Amino acid sequence: MLAARKELQESLCCYTADTLIYIDTVREFCERNPKWMLGRETELEMMRDIKDRADNIDLSIGHVTQSKNKGKAFWEYMKSKVTSVTPDSKRAELEKELAGVLKDTLRGLEKLNCFLDALENLAVTSLHVLIDENQVLRLPEGISPEHVQVVITAARVICPLLLEFKRDASVFFLPKLQNVKGLAHQLDKYIKTTQKLCEKLEKNSFSDFCQEMNDESLVDLEVDLSEDDIQRMLHHINQLEEIRMNQSFHTWFLFHDKPCSGFIDMFSERQPRMLQFLKDLEENAVQLDRMNTGAASAFKVLKNQELIASAGKVSVQEVKALRNVPRVEADIPDIGQAAVKGPLALSKSARAGFIGLNALFLGMDIYFICKDSINLAKGSRSEVSQFIRARTALRRSEMDSWQKIHDFLCEGRLTSEENKAILETPFYPEKEMKKEKEKWKCFW
């Protein structure tokens, strides 16, 4: 019995200490968020500047004829032509510059990940362990149980936003000049979502949390607890600790009350088409590399131009049905028209995958993959091949991220209701919980 009491004391101390450390991590990041934001916004502007300079390499005369300010456009056109540096050398230099920017970005995202992990762990923390007026747990001086509960509840409310960050940043943010627009777009989304998270959390004023705590002063098991109470509490706290380490349940929990089966079914249905689409793109890149230099058309024109226009319309309809961001909706309707003028030759499976890809990657950068793919035929054979390879690598990294979410959800939903019930179950003996029952009903 003494061994069980000691084990319970250690487990409860550890669970509580970790909770306070998570809160302190969240509080510290929110306090430093303005500085973090400034760093990322600077990197975002540098990416956009790199993209602008890359666009001005080896300009065509169309840059002049299509520009409203023809004087300025003509000067930019001449400047791109009258130089001793080759276009490939300029691109290599810009890609090197991009690598330096992304190195700083990844360091910043590492700091962000500590904040996100702490927030996610708080979201799956039991409110019942840290209740008021229990005779077992004593928090360090200056730390209010009510405030801890408020922060945990806030984490639960905003945790669905964490799904935005469920990708491997080190794989996604690779220095490929062809992807810089997509990288900038994703970093911009990270900045805005992070700001939203901090704003919602800062509405709950953070207190100073002490990380150095005396275990003996935290837990008092000298109260009237039976052997059954001790064993039940020990089993419960071990279950709560396992929940914190269960990534499958975490992923399921981030979906909140929205049925994850919709995502699972959609991904399972469309994944083969999307993978085939990427495979076809890569094969096109290989064929381009094998072409003779004297072959510009880089692709065979699709036989039915109406099919291209209709594909653009279907893409718009699917995206709108999935409530995609307004900016993308505003830009995509031009795709059908543009495709007729400069189509990218794709196989039937690639065209089907193209539509499915757009619909699934809502909010990622479907605008870029659509518009840039259509404009491929304007570039040289080498440029088109490099673009396809870079873009398909980016898409595959996204597919891997969606696959992990899919797998976690499939695993997590098997025990999700059981784990949620564990979080909702009162921790302390019934006599300690009478005053708290009504109080915590509102949180669920």
Side-chain angles (χ1 to χ4, degrees):
M1 185 64 179
L2 290 176
R5 280 180 176 265
K6 184 176 180 181
E7 186 178 353
L8 174 59
Q9 180 176 2
E10 292 175 350
S11 298
L12 186 52
C13 282
C14 183
Y15 189 81
T16 305
D18 286 345
T19 300
L20 299 181
I21 291 172
Y22 295 144
I23 294 177
D24 194 62
T25 299
V26 169
R27 175 192 60 80
E28 186 175 307
F29 182 87
C30 286
E31 289 179 353
R32 298 180 179 179
N33 183 50
K35 183 178 180 181
W36 186 91
M37 293 279 290
L38 180 61
R40 306 296 77 75
E41 288 171 352
T42 300
E43 292 151 13
L44 179 59
E45 289 305 312
M46 293 174 71
M47 288 184 199
R48 288 169 174 167
D49 178 64
I50 289 172
K51 178 65 174 70
D52 290 341
R53 283 184 282 156
D55 289 343
N56 287 330
I57 295 176
D58 198 21
L59 294 173
S60 67
I61 193 63
H63 176 71
V64 179
T65 59
Q66 297 173 13
S67 175
K68 293 182 179 179
N69 189 341
K70 290 186 168 45
K72 180 182 177 182
F74 181 74
W75 168 251
E76 292 171 344
Y77 169 73
M78 292 301 297
K79 188 177 179 181
S80 73
K81 298 301 181 183
V82 184
T83 177
S84 59
V85 183
T86 65
D88 287 343
S89 297
K90 290 182 181 179
R91 293 188 183 95
E93 190 63 31
L94 285 177
E95 197 162 272
K96 183 179 179 181
E97 185 178 338
L98 177 62
V101 174
L102 291 178
K103 187 175 180 180
D104 292 337
T105 299
L106 289 174
R107 276 198 291 260
L109 293 180
E110 285 179 6
K111 296 178 181 178
L112 175 66
N113 283 337
C114 295
F115 163 73
L116 298 175
D117 289 343
L119 197 56
E120 188 171 308
N121 284 325
L122 285 173
V124 294
T125 293
S126 169
L127 286 164
H128 297 282
V129 172
L130 296 139
I131 62 172
D132 244 353
E133 301 179 7
N134 75 82
Q135 298 178 19
V136 177
L137 184 64
R138 295 290 182 272
L139 295 179
E141 185 178 355
I143 298 180
S144 161
E146 295 97 328
H147 183 71
V148 174
Q149 296 156 2
V150 167
V151 176
I152 292 173
T153 304
R156 289 185 177 181
V157 171
I158 64 177
C159 69
L161 292 174
L162 302 183
L163 286 169
E164 174 62 45
F165 303 94
K166 291 299 181 180
R167 63 170 53 79
D168 187 340
S170 64
V171 175
F172 184 87
F173 289 95
L174 291 177
K176 294 293 183 182
L177 195 60
Q178 297 85 358
N179 290 335
V180 66
K181 186 161 55 175
L183 301 180
H185 176 67
Q186 193 60 58
L187 181 59
D188 186 42
K189 290 194 68 178
Y190 277 10
I191 292 171
K192 291 175 180 176
T193 306
T194 301
Q195 181 65 20
K196 189 181 298 185
L197 287 169
C198 289
E199 286 175 354
K200 291 182 179 294
L201 287 167
E202 285 170 349
K203 291 179 180 178
N204 309 293
S205 58
F206 286 110
S207 305
D208 292 327
F209 289 88
C210 175
Q211 294 189 39
E212 296 181 3
M213 295 170 283
N214 187 306
D215 289 351
E216 294 180 359
S217 67
L218 272 174
V219 179
D220 179 11
L221 295 181
E222 297 304 317
V223 297
D224 186 19
L225 293 174
S226 68
E227 182 175 351
D228 287 342
D229 288 337
I230 294 291
Q231 292 295 339
R232 183 192 62 77
M233 292 169 67
L234 179 58
H235 179 63
H236 195 175
I237 197 69
N238 289 336
Q239 287 179 312
L240 293 174
E241 193 59 51
E242 289 176 3
I243 285 175
R244 273 187 173 167
M245 297 184 291
N246 189 334
Q247 287 300 312
S248 297
F249 177 69
H250 285 207
T251 305
W252 178 88
F253 195 85
L254 296 184
F255 273 74
H256 260 205
D257 295 329
K258 296 180 180 178
C260 61
S261 58
F263 172 86
I264 293 173
D265 294 342
M266 182 173 67
F267 183 84
S268 299
E269 176 192 352
R270 301 187 180 191
Q271 184 208 33
R273 294 206 309 266
M274 292 186 290
L275 289 177
Q276 185 62 49
F277 167 66
L278 296 178
K279 182 173 181 289
D280 287 346
L281 279 178
E282 289 169 337
E283 288 177 355
N284 282 335
V286 172
Q287 292 173 5
L288 280 175
D289 289 337
R290 292 174 179 172
M291 283 183 177
N292 296 324
T293 305
S297 171
F299 298 95
K300 296 180 181 179
V301 177
L302 289 175
K303 294 180 180 179
N304 190 346
Q305 293 183 340
E306 292 180 0
L307 179 61
I308 309 166
S310 63
K313 293 176 183 177
V314 172
S315 174
V316 178
Q317 291 169 359
E318 289 205 19
V319 171
K320 286 185 176 180
L322 289 169
R323 297 165 61 185
N324 194 27
V325 291
R327 184 188 64 77
V328 179
E329 290 181 358
D331 287 325
I332 287 186
D334 294 333
I335 289 176
Q337 281 282 38
V340 175
K341 299 178 182 178
L344 169 65
L346 297 173
S347 67
K348 182 177 181 181
S349 61
R351 292 197 299 274
F354 185 66
I355 298 170
L357 185 76
N358 288 331
L360 186 58
F361 286 149
L362 55 128
M364 291 191 172
D365 70 337
I366 65 171
Y367 166 70
F368 300 122
I369 194 169
C370 290
K371 196 166 185 178
D372 290 343
S373 296
I374 287 166
N375 290 331
L376 286 179
K378 299 177 182 178
S380 68
R381 176 177 59 90
S382 175
E383 290 173 337
V384 174
S385 174
Q386 291 174 10
F387 176 88
I388 291 176
R389 293 179 188 279
R391 190 51 55 90
T392 51
L394 194 68
R395 291 300 128 230
R396 284 197 180 279
S397 75
E398 293 285 59
M399 287 293 296
D400 290 343
S401 299
W402 286 102
Q403 182 70 61
K404 287 180 182 178
I405 293 176
H406 170 273
D407 294 345
F408 278 142
L409 287 177
C410 289
E411 180 181 345
R413 67 177 176 175
L414 298 177
T415 57
S416 58
E417 294 300 330
E418 177 185 346
N419 286 332
K420 185 178 178 182
I422 292 171
L423 284 178
E424 295 175 352
T425 301
F427 181 73
Y428 299 101
E430 184 66 21
K431 58 187 175 184
E432 298 291 337
M433 293 298 302
K434 287 180 179 179
K435 297 180 181 180
E436 299 295 328
K437 279 187 174 181
E438 294 301 321
K439 178 179 177 181
W440 294 113
K441 282 182 180 179
C442 62
F443 287 108
W444 291 100

